[in-house]
């Protein structure tokens, strides 16, 4: 008789930060918030449809991969969160949205799967702003300090003004790593790069 396997915890967190690259790591509270939202979506009455990858063979969906270039499901998102594969909550949000947008792209508006995806996407979008705000708190200072540490202080005042007016818009467009490159390229003359 085989031994019963004991359930090991999915994540063992001993630090206040999850693994990631550079300064753009999940804080424990952001990790918890993202995990809680994901669990809410997965345990929703419509969540069962999105908890595993689409079984193309079983459902005989011959054109699925022609229509959907980047398949995604909530189970894969959960696995990536717990393995520390996301460097930013924005990447997490992109994959959750991709899950539901794929269903809405492949299915017609009058189909049940479309309505289920639309409902869950609505729940996600209603709760996501509080997590995004939590992520953006302190992000402005972190990015400006990163630019200052690189010795590029002549345009910091302009960068600070830009961050004060629209930090989340800029943060959504580029990742943390690309943010530094973006800020330097945008605020410094092109001739500066020729001299390097």
């Amino acid at each position: 008789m085989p031994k019963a396997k004991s359930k090991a915890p999915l994540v063992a967190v001993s630090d206040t930060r999850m693994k990631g690259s550079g300064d753009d790591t999940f804080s424990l509270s952001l990790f918890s918030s993202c995990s809680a939202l994901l669990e809410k979506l997965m345990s929703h009455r419509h969540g069962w449809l999105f908890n595993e990858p689409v079984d193309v063979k079983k459902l005989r969906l011959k054109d699925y991969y022609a229509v959907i270039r980047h398949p995604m499901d909530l189970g894969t998102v959960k696995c990536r969160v717990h393995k520390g594969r996301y460097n930013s909550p924005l990447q997490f949000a992109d994959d959750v949205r991709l899950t539901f947008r794929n269903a809405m792209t492949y299915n017609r508006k009058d189909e049940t799967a479309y309505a289920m995806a639309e409902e869950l996407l609505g729940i996600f979008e209603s709760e996501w702003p509080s997590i995004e705000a939590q992520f953006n708190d302190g992000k402005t200072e972190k990015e400006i300090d990163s630019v200052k540490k690189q010795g590029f202080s002549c345009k910091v005042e302009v960068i600070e003004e830009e961050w004060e007016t629209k930090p989340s818009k800029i943060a959504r467009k580029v990742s943390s790593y690309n943010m530094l490159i973006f800020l330097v390229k945008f605020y410094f003359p092109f001739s500066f790069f020729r001299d390097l």
Side-chain angles (χ1 to χ4, degrees):
M1 189 167 164
K3 291 183 180 180
K5 293 182 180 178
S6 63
K7 289 189 176 184
L10 291 174
V11 178
V13 180
S14 61
D15 194 0
T16 57
R17 294 189 159 294
M18 294 302 296
K19 291 181 181 176
S21 62
D23 289 335
D24 200 15
T25 55
F26 269 121
S27 70
L28 187 56
S29 63
L30 277 172
F31 173 80
S32 298
S33 299
C34 289
S35 291
L37 178 53
L38 185 60
E39 286 301 321
K40 180 175 183 174
L41 295 171
M42 292 180 82
S43 62
H44 187 274
R45 64 188 170 114
H46 299 316
W48 64 270
L49 186 62
F50 307 100
N51 290 345
E52 295 178 359
V54 173
D55 191 343
V56 176
K57 288 182 182 178
K58 182 179 177 183
L59 298 172
R60 298 181 187 181
L61 306 174
K62 294 179 182 177
D63 64 341
Y64 185 79
Y65 293 117
V67 176
I68 303 301
R69 300 277 183 198
H70 303 286
M72 186 55 60
D73 63 278
L74 298 180
T76 301
V77 173
K78 181 178 182 176
C79 183
R80 288 180 178 181
V81 167
H82 288 291
K83 287 185 177 182
R85 298 278 170 89
Y86 293 121
N87 294 325
S88 163
L90 300 176
Q91 292 173 330
F92 162 81
D94 288 343
D95 278 354
V96 172
R97 288 182 181 116
L98 179 62
T99 300
F100 302 128
R101 289 194 179 131
N102 282 349
M104 294 166 69
T105 299
Y106 190 79
N107 297 286
R108 294 185 317 265
K109 287 187 177 186
D110 62 336
E111 292 179 345
T112 306
Y114 184 99
M116 293 165 80
E118 191 173 43
E119 183 177 337
L120 285 172
L121 181 60
I123 292 169
F124 175 78
E125 294 297 352
S126 69
E127 297 197 18
W128 175 249
S130 63
I131 297 173
E132 187 175 31
Q134 192 179 3
F135 173 66
N136 287 332
D137 286 350
K139 190 78 171 157
T140 304
E141 293 301 319
K142 187 188 296 184
E143 294 299 333
I144 292 172
D145 289 344
S146 175
V147 172
K148 285 180 181 178
K149 285 178 186 174
Q150 297 295 322
F152 305 122
S153 59
C154 60
K155 297 283 183 174
V156 169
E157 296 80 22
V158 177
I159 295 169
E160 287 173 342
E161 288 173 19
E162 188 77 16
W163 271 113
E164 287 173 11
T165 58
K166 48 189 167 192
S168 61
K169 184 176 179 183
I170 293 172
R172 275 188 293 248
K173 288 184 179 179
V174 290
S175 69
S176 180
Y177 173 76
N178 290 333
M179 181 59 71
L180 178 61
I181 303 301
F182 167 77
L183 292 172
V184 171
K185 285 182 178 179
F186 186 78
Y187 289 107
F188 292 92
F190 182 73
S191 62
F192 173 79
F193 291 102
R194 267 190 268 144
D195 296 334
L196 290 177

